[in-house]
């Protein structure tokens, strides 16, 4: 059996992990530490396309404020 290639193997799992953390709002600095990058700027260059836009972050932040208010 042939070993999985970069797109299907550990590298893909690592990319999924980073994507999930960024989607949840984790910082680039923390992500760099978690995945072993010495330079957060490198992590930013690799994953910047996955960062939510400012308008997405704003919408999520306001939705969360109202969600908490409704739960109280």
């Amino acid at each position: 059996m042939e070993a999985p290639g970069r797109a299907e193997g550990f590298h893909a799992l690592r990319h999924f992990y980073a994507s999930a953390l960024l989607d949840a709002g984790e910082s680039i600095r923390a992500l760099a530490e978690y995945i072993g990058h010495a330079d957060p700027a490198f992590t930013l260059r690799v994953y910047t396309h996955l960062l939510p836009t400012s308008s997405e972050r704003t919408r999520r932040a306001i939705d969360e404020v109202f969600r908490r208010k409704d739960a109280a």
Side-chain angles (χ1 to χ4, degrees), residues 11-28 30-31 34-35 43 47 49-52 60:
H11 184 79
L13 180 59
R14 180 180 166 95
H15 192 69
F16 173 78
Y17 174 75
S19 302
L21 291 180
L22 290 173
D23 187 55
E26 188 58 88
S27 72
I28 287 290
L31 178 61
Y34 300 156
I35 62 177
T43 308
Y47 293 105
H49 68 284
L50 298 175
L51 293 172
R60 286 181 186 175

Side-chain angles (χ1 to χ4, degrees), residues 5-72:
R6 186 174 173 101
E8 301 88 23
F10 184 75
H11 184 79
L13 180 59
R14 180 180 166 95
H15 192 69
F16 173 78
Y17 174 75
S19 302
L21 291 180
L22 290 173
D23 187 55
E26 188 58 88
S27 72
I28 287 290
R29 182 176 302 275
L31 178 61
E33 181 182 329
Y34 300 156
I35 62 177
H37 289 166
D39 181 10
F42 176 78
T43 308
L44 181 60
R45 286 191 303 275
V46 172
Y47 293 105
T48 194
H49 68 284
L50 298 175
L51 293 172
T53 64
S54 178
S55 60
E56 288 178 60
R57 287 192 312 271
T58 300
R59 180 186 48 77
R60 286 181 186 175
I62 296 302
D63 285 349
E64 184 60 29
V65 166
F66 285 113
R67 189 174 301 118
R68 279 189 254 142
K69 184 173 179 158
D70 289 342

